Amino acid sequence: MDVKKIFLPESEMPRQWYNIMADMPTPMEPPLHPGTGEPVGPDALAPIFPMNLIEQEVSTERWIDIPEPILEKYVIWRPSPLYRAYNLEKYLDTPAKIYFKNEGVSPAGSHKPNTAIAQAYYNKVAGTKRITTETGAGQWGSALSMCCAFFGLECKVFMVKVSYNQKPYRRLMMETWGANCTASPSTETKAGQSILEKHPDSPGSLGIAISEAVEAAVGDEHSKYALGSVLNHVMLHQTINGLECQKQMEIAGDYPDVVIGCAGGGSNFAGNCLPYVRDKIHGKEIDIIGVEPASCPTMTRGPFAYDFGDTVQMTPLLAMYTLGHDFVPEPIHAGGLRYHGMAPIISQLILDNLIRPEAIAQLETFEAGITFARTEGFISAPETNHAVAMVIREALKAKEEGKEKVILFNWSGHGLVDLAAYEAYLRGQLQDHALPEDEIQRALSAIDSLPKPKQYRPPR
Ligand SMILES: Cc1ncc(COP(=O)(O)O)c(C=O)c1O
């Protein structure tokens, strides 16, 4: 019998995170103050984040030590196993070898605790009493709730309304870990009230929920805000995944030709692929593919521009691929991929042709998820199904070309709390949402008057 799972012993778990900022071929464009258009210094972020995390946000040190109290929590589920998907390979009758890194084994069910533990720890050390945040599908909110419980912090979560209604069990997980969870837009903040005045039936969006969570943090001296994706320090914390994965692939005796991840704000994809991006910068040939929903095509149809991270324009301007901060995607089930922007690090790596974006529509992703479940057994989160669908496309391409490619993908989370989405698919109630060009143009008009980055790119 061939080896199916590659485990690393706890003693082999990486003790440092990898910071791609040290190796980026093109320097990143700085965040800007929306009023002055000038680059913002670390101090401008101080009302929102603790200084120790702000230091990581701007750090260009290649390796950053992981503090012992974080390692002690990581070992609850880390190192996560790397699997060879023999059954899927056989089903697809492909010469490709398919590997997946299983991040669904964390107690919260996804990759999100990799940064939630770090953010809760650094906040605790900095004296924060309460952390506020947003969540889409609830994966991030539940991960942060658990990690706040570990470090004795209060946790307040604004959950995008459509997901709050679709996924009651995620809310209950948050409450079990001691957090307080509110549907967003809510009446608890001015940001929420202003949206509800204009759109009483708003399904919510990550951009709106971020506005609410930031407002709730800056209005209270004991509170800070935590973001589950997009920012540099989040990408940094997630690299523990890719660093483990490189050791495991070495044990397997293979090196990937293709690396795939789904991308909402970019963090699980970054966590797995950034160590491979480093290899690519140093000459390796790898196709590194980030997959987004066709109904929220930030990387494939948006411009590279300056935009706010949130809807109500409270955050600094970030240079990134964006659909405009008031873009509200269709209520697809992959709630964690319904974000108007993309991590500045991932965006810059796309500009530098180190990462290739692709978009896939909802039905194909669920079909892929069903195939994966019926071959490999695991039921993927709807977000993760975007990666699975791309893997299947690449494996079938390898078959057509007769190439024995090695495909690695990040299995970012399980879908056991997303079964209502599977029910809708299985009952034939899901559809693909075409996104008209007019709607993209309308949303983009919101960023027309903002400063343009030096490397500005119009929508493709
Ligand atoms: C399982 C899973 N995968 C992927 C994502 C997308 O986020 P990111 O692009 O930051 O990894 C989410 C977000 O909620 C998620 O829950």
Side-chain angles (χ1 to χ4, degrees):
M1 197 172 65
D2 294 321
V3 172
K4 173 84 180 161
K5 299 185 287 301
I6 295 136
F7 288 109
L8 273 188
E10 287 175 13
S11 58
E12 285 286 311
M13 191 171 76
R15 266 42 181 180
Q16 291 178 314
W17 293 298
Y18 166 58
N19 185 5
I20 188 103
M21 300 274 274
D23 292 315
M24 305 264 298
T26 314
M28 307 251 298
E29 304 208 24
L32 300 183
H33 188 282
T36 64
E38 293 298 315
V40 294
D43 287 350
L45 299 172
I48 311 179
F49 300 110
M51 202 39 90
N52 46 15
L53 284 173
I54 296 172
E55 280 162 16
Q56 289 188 347
E57 184 62 22
V58 297
S59 170
T60 51
E61 249 175 78
R62 182 169 291 113
W63 298 102
I64 296 185
D65 289 342
I66 307 177
E68 193 63 28
I70 296 179
L71 293 171
E72 282 168 12
K73 297 294 184 290
Y74 274 169
V75 291
I76 294 174
W77 76 98
R78 303 215 71 86
S80 68
L82 177 74
Y83 281 74
R84 175 86 184 267
Y86 290 112
N87 305 311
L88 179 63
E89 289 170 17
K90 203 184 274 175
Y91 173 82
L92 297 172
D93 189 25
T94 174
K97 295 180 181 176
I98 303 174
Y99 289 90
F100 65 98
K101 177 76 165 154
N102 187 342
E103 289 292 293
V105 295
S106 78
S110 77
H111 64 291
K112 297 284 182 183
N114 296 333
T115 183
I117 286 189
Q119 295 196 49
Y121 167 78
Y122 285 112
N123 268 287
K124 180 71 179 180
V125 168
T128 306
K129 300 275 181 274
R130 183 180 82 137
I131 301 185
T132 68
T133 198
E134 76 297 329
T135 195
Q139 294 266 22
W140 165 244
S142 51
L144 188 68
S145 304
M146 175 182 83
C147 299
C148 282
F150 287 166
F151 290 103
L153 294 162
E154 276 179 55
C155 186
K156 168 79 191 180
V157 184
F158 291 90
M159 183 170 186
V160 175
K161 193 175 277 172
V162 56
S163 297
Y164 185 93
N165 294 329
Q166 279 169 350
K167 298 171 200 269
Y169 292 114
R170 282 271 163 212
R171 173 169 54 77
L172 289 167
M173 287 167 75
M174 292 183 232
E175 289 180 12
T176 302
W177 279 309
N180 177 299
C181 177
T182 304
S184 165
S186 78
T187 51
E188 289 183 22
T189 64
K190 291 203 187 81
Q193 289 159 11
S194 75
I195 300 286
L196 288 172
E197 256 167 44
K198 279 184 258 164
H199 308 286
D201 297 326
S202 168
S205 70
L206 280 168
I208 296 169
I210 293 172
S211 296
E212 292 208 85
V214 170
E215 183 185 326
V218 294
D220 172 14
E221 59 171 321
H222 299 297
S223 294
K224 294 286 180 205
Y225 164 72
L227 187 60
S229 191
V230 182
L231 296 178
N232 303 342
H233 64 272
V234 181
M235 307 295 127
L236 172 79
H237 301 149
Q238 290 292 351
T239 59
I240 186 154
N241 166 351
L243 296 169
E244 280 177 12
C245 194
Q246 285 196 319
K247 292 187 181 189
Q248 289 162 307
M249 286 297 291
E250 216 176 300
I251 295 171
D254 273 322
Y255 189 89
D257 300 296
V258 186
V259 176
I260 294 172
C262 65
S267 75
N268 84 89
F269 175 49
N272 186 256
C273 82
L274 290 183
Y276 287 106
V277 172
R278 180 175 189 229
D279 289 356
K280 190 166 176 174
I281 292 168
H282 291 108
K284 280 273 188 197
E285 265 189 40
I286 324 174
D287 191 11
I288 303 178
I289 310 172
V291 190
E292 64 187 4
S295 56
C296 189
T298 313
M299 300 180 287
T300 50
R301 289 174 71 186
F304 177 79
Y306 268 116
D307 195 5
F308 294 94
D310 70 320
T311 304
V312 185
Q313 312 180 15
M314 294 172 79
T315 69
L317 297 173
L318 302 174
M320 60 182 176
Y321 280 95
T322 178
L323 291 166
H325 50 267
D326 69 359
F327 179 77
V328 177
E330 288 293 335
I332 55 167
H333 283 271
L337 305 186
R338 291 178 71 245
Y339 182 60
H340 66 273
M342 180 48 58
I345 285 180
I346 297 292
S347 298
Q348 183 64 52
L349 294 171
I350 294 171
L351 284 182
D352 288 342
N353 291 321
L354 289 162
I355 283 178
R356 181 163 73 88
E358 288 279 355
I360 300 187
Q362 178 161 253
L363 285 177
E364 183 180 338
T365 67
F366 273 94
E367 193 184 325
I370 296 283
T371 300
F372 193 71
R374 291 181 187 174
T375 51
E376 291 299 325
F378 294 107
I379 297 177
S380 324
E383 291 83 1
T384 313
N385 281 340
H386 289 70
V388 178
M390 194 69 220
V391 167
I392 292 178
R393 281 191 190 179
E394 285 293 315
L396 293 176
K397 192 167 102 192
K399 179 172 160 178
E400 253 175 55
E401 295 170 354
K403 286 193 183 147
E404 200 202 73
K405 279 193 185 164
V406 176
I407 301 172
L408 165 69
F409 78 102
N410 195 44
W411 198 75
S412 58
H414 71 67
L416 297 178
V417 193
D418 303 288
L419 290 176
Y422 279 84
E423 181 177 28
Y425 175 75
L426 293 167
R427 305 281 176 270
Q429 292 156 358
L430 280 195
Q431 321 138 16
D432 284 338
H433 301 279
L435 175 60
E437 194 52 38
D438 287 4
E439 171 51 17
I440 294 188
Q441 290 311 323
R442 185 210 60 77
L444 286 177
S445 63
I447 62 169
D448 269 353
S449 59
L450 297 176
K452 296 276 179 290
K454 286 196 202 88
Q455 305 165 75
Y456 174 78
R457 295 278 198 295
R460 287 165 224 246

